[in-house]
Amino acid sequence: MIIDDEVQIRRLLNITLTANDYKVSEASTGKEGLALAASIQPLMIILDLGLPDIDGLDIIKSLREWYQKPIIILSVRNSEEDIIKALDNGANDYLTKPFRTGELLARVRVAIRQSQGTTEKQILEFDSLSIDLIDHIARKNNEIIKLTHTEFSLLALLAKNEGRVLTHQYLLREVWGMGYIEQTQYLRVFVAQLRKKIEDDPAKPKLLNTESGIGYRFGH
């Protein structure tokens, strides 16, 4: 489902998504979008933040009271503050306008795949890396990686949210607790340690990727 007040954007998204076998519904205002979402329970929502009647951040908050499926933000707002607020309020991903349709489709596929059971698996696999969520063991090329409890907790959280941008504050809150949400340097140290253990080349990570100024994304 698309919630966007720009007719041209809705038309482009409709053509692109329909051509890739998605059924598309549209809304041009926040009020209309909330009502339509409640009515049809869409597989995912692509949401613009700058709507004429309700701010997109408020729409995310309203949706997340009952809607658990992916929300991808598509907006001209490109400041780190806006992106972080959207992600922290419950958006799964964020693309800025103008955008490449190929990238949008890739983000859509990842978000849908992640919502359809990635987090329910007991063992997550990424190329040569496997993560056993039950026994708390990570392996690279079938060899056990020595991880501290905190390192495993951070890795597992990132991997369970494959493809989703997790903000610094979210990661710090979930792994270390509320008292650490401003300790971004602390997080960078642990990310650097993890990269040394899971990446083929820590200087050119392929799994644990940085979203500059915002947080980290696990996977491609």
Side-chain angles (χ1 to χ4, degrees), residues 12-194:
L12 173 61
L13 289 173
N14 201 323
I15 292 171
T16 300
L17 293 167
T18 301
N20 284 271
D21 299 322
Y22 295 102
K23 182 179 179 181
V24 179
S25 299
E26 301 179 15
S28 59
T29 66
K31 185 177 180 180
E32 181 185 354
L34 289 171
L36 185 59
S39 173
I40 68 173
Q41 301 282 323
L43 181 65
M44 74 172 302
I45 293 173
I46 298 176
L47 171 67
D48 181 22
L49 294 182
L51 297 168
D53 57 340
I54 307 174
D55 187 81
L57 294 175
D58 292 327
I59 293 176
I60 298 172
K61 292 177 185 177
S62 295
L63 286 169
R64 283 305 184 217
E65 291 178 1
W66 59 272
Y67 183 78
Q68 301 302 319
K69 294 178 182 177
I71 299 173
I72 293 181
I73 302 302
L74 190 60
S75 176
V76 294
R77 299 185 194 175
N78 59 6
S79 71
E80 289 181 4
E81 182 180 1
D82 283 324
I83 295 172
I84 289 170
K85 283 181 178 179
L87 294 170
D88 277 345
N89 278 320
N92 293 70
D93 211 338
Y94 197 113
L95 283 174
T96 56
K97 300 175 183 177
F99 61 95
R100 294 174 294 180
T101 55
E103 182 178 8
L104 172 69
L105 288 170
R107 300 286 182 90
V108 166
R109 288 192 295 270
V110 168
I112 291 175
R113 184 172 68 246
Q114 196 267 339
S115 72
Q116 290 180 332
T118 300
T119 57
E120 296 176 0
K121 295 180 180 178
Q122 295 181 358
I123 298 178
L124 306 181
E125 296 183 346
F126 309 90
D127 298 327
S128 61
L129 176 69
S130 67
I131 304 167
D132 188 325
L133 301 177
I134 302 299
D135 293 332
H136 286 214
I137 295 174
R139 292 181 172 86
K140 183 173 175 62
N141 296 320
N142 292 321
E143 294 185 3
I144 293 177
I145 305 170
K146 293 182 179 180
L147 297 174
T148 67
H149 175 76
T150 301
E151 287 172 343
F152 185 87
S153 296
L154 178 60
L155 176 61
L157 179 60
L158 287 159
K160 286 189 292 185
N161 288 278
E162 178 196 5
R164 180 175 180 176
V165 181
L166 302 182
T167 65
H168 298 131
Q169 289 77 12
Y170 176 83
L171 290 167
L172 287 162
R173 182 177 66 243
E174 293 299 311
V175 177
W176 285 275
M178 285 297 295
Y180 289 84
I181 60 173
E182 300 300 328
Q183 303 298 321
T184 55
Q185 184 57 39
Y186 194 65
L187 176 60
R188 290 190 185 98
V189 170
F190 273 83
V191 167
Q193 291 174 183
L194 270 182

